[in-house]
Amino acid sequence: MSLVKLSKDTKVDEIVSIIQRDGGVIIENFLSEEITKDIHQALSQQLELIPDGEDEYFAGTKTRRMSRLFARLPQMPLVAMNPTFLETAKAILQKPLSTWSGENRIELCPDIQVGVTQAIQIWPGQKAQPLHRDDTVWMWQHPVYGREARVQIMFAVTDFTEENGATRVIPASHLWDDERVPKEDETIAAEMKAGDALIWIGSTYHGGGANVSHEPRIGLTMSYDLGFLRQEENHYLSLSTETIKGFPDELKGMLGWNMSTTFVGFVEHEGKMMNPIDMLNVPDFKTTGIT
Ligand SMILES: O=C(O)CCC(=O)C(=O)O
Ligand SMILES: [Fe+2]
């Protein structure tokens, strides 16, 4: 079995139905060759300054991980706002809930937010990462009851091959319960050309592959998560208000500067429960992020 490859112009409904069946899908030519080259150049330079991971088990001692990508990589909005990714994430995550408010039946629809961003450079000699589900960060249980928590992308900055450590995925493992053990021989390598992207969900077992080639592999990952969960990466401390102000309003909100439909994340200011996005217009309000 292999993962289905689709063109970036495929209708969102079709992308979603394949993800719901297989747990993931590959989108070819997700970004243009030119943009991919620029991202490659920027990330390879910045990754030179990043040390290998310290943890042999999961992060990898021959793997460099660099986050805070919205502060570091000017092309991040092109990844995040790419309609194929954004619309797919919305279609999967924004499942409404009906509940009571007094005797009124109301329908609530969750917002989505940016969770983690990370450039992952796997060097020759790195062993395969343990197979895992990324929704374990919130101890999500399986089979998923009600709703998926995450829709994630792995953008191939370099070619992804079986030899250089392409992400390994167990197709349809998002449907498994929490007892079944994920095994290496059930995985397939998400082989991609630079510029392609794997989109998968938080409940699908996957992991970085072993790099037995002579070149490093670079992937750029970013997740969209349910807006009422805690963000895996702390964007409030990572990105300055100046950086945030440079983004389109929808992206500002999705980086955490939005209050969820269920009021998660409000800020009290002068007795009002404010949406944090409105704080950006309050004179003298500033956060500096890591510099
Ligand atoms: O690098 C990869 O291919 C996957 C990495 C991953 O799944 C993780 O770090 O959670
Ligand atoms: Fe992962």
Side-chain angles (χ1 to χ4, degrees):
M1 178 164 184
S2 60
L3 287 170
V4 173
K5 292 194 173 189
L6 297 175
S7 98
K8 68 170 186 315
D9 304 318
T10 309
K11 288 213 171 69
V12 170
D13 285 356
E14 190 181 340
I15 297 175
V16 169
S17 68
I18 289 173
I19 295 176
Q20 273 160 352
R21 185 190 68 191
D22 297 348
V25 71
I26 290 170
I27 306 294
E28 293 180 305
N29 303 310
F30 178 78
L31 292 180
S32 73
E33 214 172 293
E34 199 184 336
I35 295 171
T36 305
K37 260 196 206 143
D38 291 345
I39 294 179
H40 185 210
Q41 195 180 9
L43 289 181
S44 334
Q45 269 175 15
Q46 296 180 48
L47 282 160
E48 279 175 25
L49 307 172
I50 298 291
D52 282 320
E54 286 177 356
D55 142 40
E56 186 153 357
Y57 180 68
F58 198 86
T61 49
K62 294 199 168 93
T63 300
R64 298 180 186 184
R65 292 170 187 271
M66 183 175 74
S67 290
R68 277 200 286 137
L69 294 186
F70 280 93
R72 294 179 136 132
L73 190 66
Q75 292 84 359
M76 268 321 275
L78 298 176
V79 176
M81 303 304 282
N82 181 295
T84 310
F85 179 31
L86 181 57
E87 296 309 319
T88 299
K90 285 180 178 172
I92 293 174
L93 298 173
Q94 296 197 303
K95 223 174 121 180
L97 168 84
S98 293
T99 187
W100 294 104
S101 176
E103 292 187 16
N104 293 324
R105 190 70 172 158
I106 57 168
E107 192 167 275
L108 298 168
C109 187
D111 319 272
I112 63 167
Q113 62 182 346
V114 177
V116 65
T117 68
Q118 196 159 77
I120 305 177
Q121 189 181 41
I122 300 184
W123 284 82
Q126 174 62 57
K127 294 201 199 98
Q129 188 183 37
L131 297 164
H132 60 279
R133 288 168 152 156
D134 278 359
D135 60 11
T136 304
V137 293
W138 307 287
M139 302 191 193
W140 223 242
Q141 290 180 296
H142 309 88
V144 161
Y145 176 73
R147 61 183 75 244
E148 283 290 333
R150 165 171 288 190
V151 175
Q152 188 156 352
I153 201 166
M154 177 63 78
F155 174 67
V157 178
T158 60
D159 287 346
F160 269 39
T161 65
E162 174 127 33
E163 291 71 36
N164 78 6
T167 310
R168 307 205 63 96
V169 177
I170 305 184
S173 57
H174 62 302
L175 303 171
W176 297 3
D177 63 20
D178 286 319
E179 303 309 313
R180 182 161 168 183
V181 187
K183 299 265 177 63
E184 202 59 39
D185 63 7
E186 297 169 290
T187 64
I188 51 166
E191 294 203 298
M192 298 187 269
K193 288 266 157 238
D196 295 351
L198 164 71
I199 301 182
W200 82 104
I201 46 182
S203 50
T204 305
Y205 277 107
H206 68 282
N211 189 339
V212 295
S213 76
H214 301 288
E215 302 283 344
R217 180 225 82 175
I218 304 176
L220 183 166
T221 195
M222 186 203 122
S223 68
Y224 276 122
D225 301 338
L226 292 172
F228 54 78
L229 296 172
R230 178 148 194 209
Q231 286 166 309
E232 184 180 355
E233 182 178 3
N234 192 324
H235 300 288
Y236 306 107
L237 300 184
S238 302
L239 308 175
S240 68
T241 38
E242 285 314 303
T243 303
I244 293 287
K245 280 179 186 171
F247 295 138
D249 280 349
E250 187 179 15
L251 186 53
K252 288 184 183 105
M254 293 191 299
L255 280 164
W257 290 84
N258 196 18
M259 178 172 74
S260 86
T261 44
T262 49
F263 293 91
V264 178
F266 77 82
V267 187
E268 186 271 355
H269 180 62
E270 296 174 344
K272 286 197 219 123
M273 306 304 144
M274 285 180 62
N275 190 330
I277 207 156
D278 295 327
M279 293 300 291
L280 295 173
N281 300 321
V282 170
D284 299 329
F285 175 74
K286 241 194 232 127
T287 66
T288 56
I290 299 168
T291 48

